[in-house]
Amino acid sequence: MKMESMSTRCKTRAKVTQWERKDTIAKETCMDPRSKPAFFTEKTMESSIKYIIKKFPNLDTRSMTQHLGPVHKDKADIFRALGAYYHTFVDVMEFRDHVYELLNTIDASQCYFDIHVNYDFTKNYLDLIVTYASVILLLSRIDDRKALIGLYHCTYEMIHGTSDASYPRLGQMILEYENPLRKLMEEFGPHTKAVSNTLLSVHFLFARRNHSADQWRTDQLFSLISNPAGMIAPVNSDTMACEYLSLEVLERWIVIGFLLCHSCLGSTQSCLDLWRAALRGSLYITLVRDEVLPVHKVIEEAFSGIKGYGKRIADIKECKEYAVTHSGPLHRGRRHFLRNAVKEMEAILANEPGLLGPKAVYVFMALSFCRDEVTWLCRHSEHVSKGKNPEEFTDSSLAEILFLMEKLRNLVRKHQNVLQRYHVQYLAHFDVQVLSDIIQDLTVCPEEESVIMSSFVSSVSSLTIKHLDLNQQFTLKQLLVTYQALFPTRHTPVSQRPPLQLRENHDIAKVMNLIIFHTKMLDSVEELMVETSDLSIFCFYVRFLEKLFASTMEEPSMLRYAIAYPYLCTDFCHATHPLCPEEGPHLRTCALSLCNSFLEEIAKQTCICILDICAEQYNLTEKLLPKYCAATISKARNKRAQKVAKKGEPERDKPGAESHRKDRSLATNLDKLHITLTELCWSLNQVTSFVVFEHTVTPAEYLSSQLETRLSRSLVLLAKPTPNSPELSRPSEVLTGVQAYATFLVSLMHRVALDTGRLLRSVLLQQTQPLDANGEQTLTTLYTNWYLESLLRQASMGSIVFSPAMKSFVSIPKEGEQTFSAEEFSDVSEMRALSQLLGPYGMKFLSDNLMWHVTSQMVELKKLVTENMDALVQIRSNFYQPEQMAALLPRLTSVENVLKRMTIIGEILCFRSMAQEGLREVFTNHCPFLMEPIECLKEFVNPDMDIKVTLSIFELATAAGVPCDIDPALVCALSNLKKDSSSPEEDYKIACLLLVFVAVSLPLLANDASSVYTTDINGYSNNIHCLAKAIIQVSAALFTVYNKNIETHLKEFLMLASVSLLQLGQEADRMKAKNWESISLLMHLLVEESSFLTIDMLETCFPYVLLRNAYREVSRSSALNRLPAH
């Protein structure tokens, strides 16, 4: 209807949301001063605006030029900026004119209004009155209305030379409504009879709806099982639509209606009773959206200027006192009742969805009742000042009502087919029969009405279940139009009305009300749910909604209902209106941001709870680690030996002691965490996905995303509990923690719809990379840096020794130095755990970093060789001539530096070898079906193969941890050094001379007191036994890069080293050769390390008897050193 569309338009344009930023007057000029047009805040415009307000509406630009100079300067911009505002006021004026016309027509036609008989007509009439009053009241709240209209008028006249045609009437309207209530009361004086009679028809309905919770409980409202015999009996009423009519709407009708037509309050007692009952229910009623009317204050001010209304003012004060004292407890009791009653009803309907058919009206009544209580709390919590009992206007359990409302709505959507099947049969077999009987009993029925009624009966009778089976959509809204056309009482004069009058045929009205409701169950279920349960009002009460959500998250018993808040954002789309499309994007942004923040917070709390449980599980698992067994074993031995334990030693609980409970009611921290997690997961499981402004939202994805990020950080914290400390946990301990975390996360699949397998794979895979998805450090980066910067650096400084016997690095405690135990981080089990944590990608990253350090040393070694090139070339040519060697060797510089750097390379390669061995064991256990083919492929490698094919096979084997004769990673690293050089021949010459340099430098080690071979570690305390691996692997890699024969060059090195050591053995100064036996063992270590050298090759240049004697001597010395000193 045109009037209704205009009413809606004015209502929408007059009151705007807090997110609307343009083309609306109320927001720009009243609600948000920051968004006013710029010229409103300019100093130069201030005097002009004041003058316009003073002279409004009598504005003549020709005689006011001296006051409107700034306006004339920016007239085009002002005219363009204020156009939307001005025309909004014009819309309000036109709406007022149409309302005048319509109300006068209704009075002249003597229309009959009764909410129980002609529900839609009566409801629209009362809505029109309330909407009109709301628009006028909102208009008066715009402080700058005169300035806006006056500025636009002035600029319009400046540009067009004449004023706008609507301006005189608009200006007059603004003046008339300076006191809006006084003017409205004058306007509605002639309509008092029609309005009061209409409101009186609501009296019985309002009294029935305005019961307390105790009365509802006595009436067993919403109880489907109170009468088992009538459980499947249909719930019918003479006025079905009145059953789910909002109590808030009724209060608004009564309060505003009697405010405008107040004269009937003194003449009609029933009107006074109804008015007083409405005033006792609420302190505030809604005008539009978040604009409210402080009922008692406004009415008291309006009545205070009317003579003889002292008694009415006393009634108002008494009602206000009653509302302040009793409305809070009344509504709190209602909410408590609704939580229990609706929960029971939802559970029964979910178990027996067939009951939705006969009890459908109960569902919509429950939704309407719940919505009324939610919105009452919403507007009062925001506007009620803090009094003696603020707790009456807060409710931490409101989430349960919101959740139950959504459960009911989903239940109706899910079983809509049940509703349709039930009501299509009800209409065709019962309603039609009743209607036919009533029509036949009519004493007077004109022919035209008879034809319409017969058509109506025929249309309803044609409905069958086949329409549902064929998935045909019902379109029954035209039946309502037919019914309204049957009684044309809106615009037809009394003398011209047909004999069939609705007021005289209530039976028809009752049956038609029932039929209309049943037809809505076929084609308008979604619209009816929006009418009864729309909560889009919350998009204008964001702060209150956020407070509710925060209180819910703090209440453990309400956590399971937290999902109701993000789901509530799906209703925000109902706040949009076609006549205000500009606010759509802002409402969408609000809804999505709120939904996102709610889900982020729920996911955050869930993640915290999950990771806290994981940490508790890790603490329990940690008690089973071997390091804690030692104390238990020691205690048992002491007890057996009857030794007294030290005083003050803490008593450790044995693993499993936490499972012994004396009282099951005592909840541990782990119990509380599990309960909280169960509640949160239950909440997340309620909804798989939902749509907010055409955006599909999946709650589980929020949890997955946050859990992935937080789990990565938690795993890193396992390795580095103290962020600012350089210390790390042992890889085996971290692996135990990761396994404990993974075990619990896998069990999480039974609680929430989350692919924890994919989550774990993603997180653990990220931990094998240098940085995770968020750019933060991973286990791979932490352990790579720690082993390089702590373990290997201390090894190069002599604090840590590589022990081939123990297959680990061993710490050598030094006085004044506090160091870690290297064997706890580098033994076989730790390398195996490190490989499991870092995986193949992480181990490759570790290997690449190790190779980078090797190449750094090689760069320095090349520089040292270049410095001594001339002497090294001569030594290589004359190593069989002792006299010349004696003259050439002193010319070499930085000999100790060369040996030190080669030793560091050896230490790095030894560590890499251990890491590769750990990787091999893990890979064999995980993928034995892949390991065997790789090893088989490696066995087919022979010297005649193409070197590229060989390196490809070795690279595959190295990735699985299988040791190779040539290290492909080292070859790749050294080949990059080759690219930086200008001459390959020069690089090859340097590589050969490097071996010469190392070979002739070995005798120098005999002077070092640390160069003593120890059988306990099968090595030297200065790590020079690592030279063997460095020499062999660097040689193999270098001569592979230069495509030379590796064996030939190693034989040359063996020859040079043998000659140098044999010459040292003949040295007359025994101090220079004091550790000759220990140093000579390096020759045997070289042969053992290399697959290119053999004992027979060594025998040709270094007699094996010397090695045997050396082994005997160092073994004897080690045995003597182990004897206790006397």
Side-chain angles (χ1 to χ4, degrees), residues 402-411 413 567 570:
L402 298 176
F403 179 80
L404 290 171
M405 289 177 67
E406 196 53 49
K407 290 281 283 185
L408 281 179
R409 292 197 289 192
N410 288 336
L411 195 64
R413 293 189 185 105
Y567 206 101
T570 58

Side-chain angles (χ1 to χ4, degrees), residues 157-322:
E157 193 169 295
M158 290 174 183
I159 294 172
H160 297 91
T162 182
S163 63
D164 181 67
S166 302
Y167 175 72
R169 293 182 61 240
L170 181 58
Q172 185 60 34
M173 186 191 76
I174 295 298
L175 291 180
E176 288 176 356
Y177 289 102
E178 282 294 324
N179 190 330
L181 280 177
R182 180 183 301 171
K183 179 64 176 176
L184 285 171
M185 287 189 291
E186 291 176 4
E187 291 175 354
F188 275 86
H191 309 299
T192 298
K193 182 179 179 181
V195 174
S196 61
N197 288 338
T198 305
L199 291 175
L200 284 177
S201 72
V202 180
H203 194 169
F204 175 75
L205 175 61
F206 180 75
R208 184 158 54 89
R209 282 295 309 276
N210 200 25
H211 284 167
S212 66
D214 292 335
Q215 185 63 46
W216 285 351
R217 199 170 287 109
T218 303
D219 297 339
Q220 295 187 324
L221 187 65
F222 303 134
S223 176
L224 303 181
I225 58 177
S226 60
N227 182 17
M231 184 175 290
I232 61 174
V235 178
N236 291 328
S237 170
D238 293 341
T239 52
M240 294 293 282
C242 293
E243 302 300 326
Y244 51 80
L245 182 60
S246 171
L247 180 62
E248 180 186 356
V249 172
L250 292 174
E251 286 184 343
R252 192 183 307 128
W253 288 348
I254 296 168
V255 170
I256 294 181
F258 284 128
L259 173 61
L260 302 182
C261 305
H262 54 85
S263 60
C264 62
L265 296 176
S267 59
T268 308
Q269 183 62 35
S270 54
C271 291
L272 181 61
D273 294 340
L274 179 58
W275 178 66
R276 293 181 62 184
L279 290 181
R280 291 180 176 183
S282 298
L283 296 169
Y284 295 88
I285 61 170
T286 302
L287 291 177
V288 181
R289 295 183 174 175
D290 60 338
E291 290 291 337
V292 297
L293 188 70
V295 177
H296 305 88
K297 178 182 177 182
V298 169
I299 299 177
E300 185 177 349
E301 291 175 354
F303 286 1
S304 61
I306 302 176
K307 187 177 181 180
Y309 267 53
K311 193 172 183 181
R312 298 287 81 82
I313 294 175
D315 288 339
I316 294 169
K317 293 180 178 179
E318 184 270 329
C319 291
K320 180 180 180 181
E321 186 64 29
Y322 185 93

Side-chain angles (χ1 to χ4, degrees), residues 673-733:
L673 289 172
H674 274 289
I675 292 172
T676 302
L677 179 61
T678 302
E679 296 292 308
L680 289 168
C681 290
W682 192 89
S683 179
L684 289 170
N685 281 336
Q686 293 305 305
V687 185
T688 305
S689 63
F690 55 90
V691 178
V692 179
F693 276 98
E694 300 177 357
H695 291 257
T696 301
V697 180
T698 307
E701 288 301 317
Y702 284 81
L703 176 60
S704 177
S705 175
Q706 285 222 18
L707 188 56
E708 183 175 320
T709 302
R710 291 174 179 273
L711 181 59
S712 294
R713 294 171 182 166
S714 296
L715 296 184
V716 171
L717 284 175
L718 288 177
K720 196 171 185 179
T722 309
N724 297 327
S725 173
E727 297 180 359
L728 291 184
S729 301
R730 297 166 61 181
S732 59
E733 295 178 1

Side-chain angles (χ1 to χ4, degrees), residues 69 74 284 348 437 582 621 628 724 768 778 801 902 927 950 999 1027 1087 1113:
D74 297 325
Y284 295 88
I348 294 173
D437 294 343
E582 61 271 19
T621 306
Y628 294 116
N724 297 327
T768 67
T778 61
V801 176
M902 283 299 292
C927 308
T950 300
L1027 281 171
V1087 175
E1113 179 62 26

Side-chain angles (χ1 to χ4, degrees), residues 10 46 165-166 186 234 391 451 528 531 543 567 638 661 688 690 727 852 895 919 956 988 1061 1069 1087:
C10 290
E46 188 174 333
S166 302
E186 291 176 4
E391 67 279 356
V451 172
L528 196 55
E531 179 186 341
R543 186 177 62 176
Y567 206 101
N638 291 339
R661 307 285 183 94
T688 305
F690 55 90
E727 297 180 359
W852 183 86
V895 178
L919 176 61
L956 173 63
Y988 169 64
L1061 290 176
D1069 187 358
V1087 175

